[in-house]
Amino acid sequence: MSLNTMDRRGALRAALGAAGAAAAVTLIGSAPAQAAPASRRSHHPSLPDVPGMVGDRWANEFWYQYDEISYFNPSQEMKDAVAAITTPFGGFTQTYDAWLATRRSGRYPRSFLETIRPVKDAFEVLSRNQKAVYEQFYGHDPRGLVLAFQEFGQGTLFDPRRPAGEKVHMMNYTPPEPTHAYHRWHPFLAGFVLLGMEPRWWTHINRLAGAAWELQSLAQPIIDHDDNPHLPRRTVHHITAKWLRRDRAELDAAFEVYPFPADLGK
């Protein structure tokens, strides 16, 4: 099974470790809704200019390199891991449905954990590979990680290095249908936690994924547009803080709702 059969980026997210939800909320206190120029972010090495690129240079590079290992040029090890996880569910697109069924059966999380425990090694492959990318770019910059997800959700990172249909770093979708990818990502994030793989780490990323989902739901960025506007700064901060305060049970409940968060914009 090729990763190219999956929703873009939907399965293979990882995270920067955080001290917990309460501490994470403080990371957004002074983060701007619009990224600072690379020249003002001296804690990051300089990167060569890319003509036509729009948005934070470092965040663009982070999502570019993430896609390299998880979508455009995944290793055989990564392909095999995704196949091992998703095949029992009937394929990647069925993974969320299987997770949701266990929620509605009243046997969650036990029944979901029973299903994924036999492929724990595959989850560990995803964790190890994704962690390397996150640590490379944001291992010493937790505020930057929050910003990267905020920009991703708003669709404000335009990268001309990618082919048509992929030039904005954002969750993919097929208009007029909303994206399914955040929901298909959630069972993987929940699975890491249930399998005992750095639960605080993965829960933090689950919170950021939720914030990006709500930001994208509000912003409605357009594929391949280099001028998708930012949402108001207050809106971005409010939504991010709301998600960073949620515990695991609240995250599970939030992702039962499709296509938009139940409390969208509130």
Side-chain angles (χ1 to χ4, degrees), residues 30-89:
S30 60
Q34 187 164 353
S39 61
R40 289 169 53 194
R41 310 183 79 197
S42 59
H43 50 279
H44 292 156
S46 61
L47 294 170
D49 290 337
V50 176
M53 178 176 284
V54 176
D56 183 84
R57 180 66 182 88
W58 197 254
N60 262 301
E61 193 67 27
F62 162 66
W63 290 115
Y64 181 90
Q65 296 300 336
Y66 170 83
D67 278 348
E68 281 295 288
I69 70 164
S70 64
Y71 178 66
F72 287 102
N73 294 295
S75 66
Q76 190 61 49
E77 180 185 44
M78 291 283 276
K79 295 178 184 178
D80 291 345
V82 172
I85 293 168
T86 61
T87 298
F89 296 124

Side-chain angles (χ1 to χ4, degrees), residues 234-246:
R234 179 177 296 181
T235 299
V236 174
H237 288 185
H238 170 71
I239 289 171
T240 307
K242 177 176 67 175
W243 281 90
L244 287 177
R245 293 189 181 100
R246 286 179 167 162

Side-chain angles (χ1 to χ4, degrees), residues 182-203:
Y182 287 105
H183 290 73
R184 292 170 179 168
W185 179 7
H186 177 72
F188 288 81
L189 298 173
F192 285 115
V193 173
L194 293 174
L195 290 167
M197 298 177 186
E198 303 187 66
R200 289 166 61 186
W201 176 321
W202 288 105
T203 300

Side-chain angles (χ1 to χ4, degrees), residues 28 31-34 63 145-156 169-171 179 182 207-222 228-244 246 255 259-261 263-266:
I28 66 170
Q34 187 164 353
W63 290 115
L145 178 63
V146 174
L147 176 64
F149 272 81
Q150 291 172 334
E151 299 295 288
F152 180 82
Q154 295 173 90
T156 54
H169 293 299
M170 57 185 282
M171 278 299 191
T179 181
Y182 287 105
R207 293 175 179 126
L208 292 179
W213 168 39
E214 185 164 351
L215 291 171
Q216 183 165 335
S217 299
L218 286 172
Q220 297 289 305
I222 300 174
N228 287 319
H230 286 85
L231 292 167
R233 181 177 302 181
R234 179 177 296 181
T235 299
V236 174
H237 288 185
H238 170 71
I239 289 171
T240 307
K242 177 176 67 175
W243 281 90
L244 287 177
R246 286 179 167 162
F255 279 101
F260 306 118
D263 59 347
L264 180 63
K266 298 179 181 177

Side-chain angles (χ1 to χ4, degrees), residues 11-33:
L12 307 175
R13 300 290 191 211
L16 171 71
V25 171
T26 66
L27 300 178
I28 66 170
S30 60

